[in-house]
């Protein structure tokens, strides 16, 4: 009986550890979270595979889909044209704000930026253009219920 319980416990631990892998193994991530009524939105891209999740406003859903090479190229172009790596974050403290973080782990735009403390005004247009590119991917591919 103890052997069965031990094996069952080991399986549960392995399954729970593997379920978080999708949130750490990505090439590009877009994450939006926070606010007075918190929301959590994630878009994780690994190769052509995309994992999307949303939780907030009384809703919760997840969806996996494929993205075309052309759409990936467009996203990379938007990151490059808007100087993603040069965008500067401000140091002002904001509370109860919905913030967005973008992480790029490979390619010429490799870096990490967030607007949790605002974006320097000179880079605000660039930041908004990049956010719009991610929002277009979500709007085009996610079937919200």
């Amino acid at each position: 009986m103890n052997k069965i319980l031990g094996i069952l416990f080991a399986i549960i631990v392995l399954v729970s550890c593997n379920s978080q892998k999708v949130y750490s193994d990505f090439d590009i991530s877009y994450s939006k979270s926070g606010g007075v009524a918190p929301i959590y939105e994630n878009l994780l891209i690994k190769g052509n595979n995309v994992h999307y999740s949303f939780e907030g406003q009384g809703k919760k859903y997840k969806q996996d889909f494929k993205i075309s090479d052309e759409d990936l190229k467009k996203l990379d172009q938007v990151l490059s044209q808007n100087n993603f790596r040069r965008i500067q974050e401000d140091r002002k403290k904001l509370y109860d704000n919905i913030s967005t973080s973008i992480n790029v782990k490979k390619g010429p735009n490799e870096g990490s930026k967030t607007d949790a403390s605002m974006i320097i005004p000179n880079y605000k247009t660039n930041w908004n253009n990049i956010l719009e590119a991610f929002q277009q991917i979500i709007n085009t591919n996610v079937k919200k219920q």
Side-chain angles (χ1 to χ4, degrees):
M1 184 67 170
N2 284 341
K3 273 187 170 181
I4 293 173
L5 288 175
I7 292 171
L8 186 59
F9 178 74
I11 290 172
I12 290 171
V13 169
L14 289 173
V15 169
S16 65
C17 290
N18 196 29
S19 67
Q20 296 300 316
K21 184 178 181 186
V22 70
Y23 294 103
S24 62
D25 186 24
F26 59 85
D27 298 331
I28 301 172
S29 77
Y30 165 91
S31 177
K32 197 170 171 180
S33 63
V36 177
I39 66 155
Y40 305 94
E41 183 175 38
N42 293 294
L43 180 79
L44 307 168
I45 303 171
K46 177 70 174 175
N48 291 74
N49 298 314
V50 182
H51 175 76
Y52 175 81
S53 64
F54 178 89
E55 184 175 345
Q57 303 166 343
K59 301 173 187 167
K60 184 176 182 178
Y61 43 89
K62 294 180 182 181
Q63 182 179 337
D64 294 322
F65 58 91
K66 299 262 187 204
I67 190 170
S68 69
D69 288 333
E70 184 178 317
D71 286 342
L72 278 174
K73 194 178 286 186
K74 282 181 189 176
L75 181 59
D76 196 45
Q77 284 176 337
V78 169
L79 290 168
S80 294
Q81 289 170 351
N82 288 284
N83 298 314
F84 175 72
R85 294 184 66 188
R86 291 188 167 201
I87 291 175
Q88 294 180 6
E89 302 164 19
D90 203 339
R91 301 291 177 236
K92 295 176 184 172
K93 298 289 184 198
L94 293 177
Y95 300 97
D96 295 331
N97 186 40
I98 296 176
S99 63
T100 306
S101 298
I102 298 172
N103 295 301
V104 180
K105 287 189 173 181
K106 70 181 219 180
N109 294 302
E110 188 172 332
S112 178
K113 302 290 178 187
T114 182
D115 64 0
S117 294
M118 301 295 280
I119 297 293
I120 298 287
N122 293 352
Y123 297 96
K124 194 71 174 150
T125 301
N126 300 55
W127 181 253
N128 288 336
N129 291 340
I130 292 168
L131 295 181
E132 179 61 31
F134 281 98
Q135 198 59 54
Q136 282 180 333
I137 291 171
I138 292 168
N139 292 344
T140 303
N141 295 289
V142 175
K143 312 291 186 265
K144 295 184 179 178
Q145 298 146 359

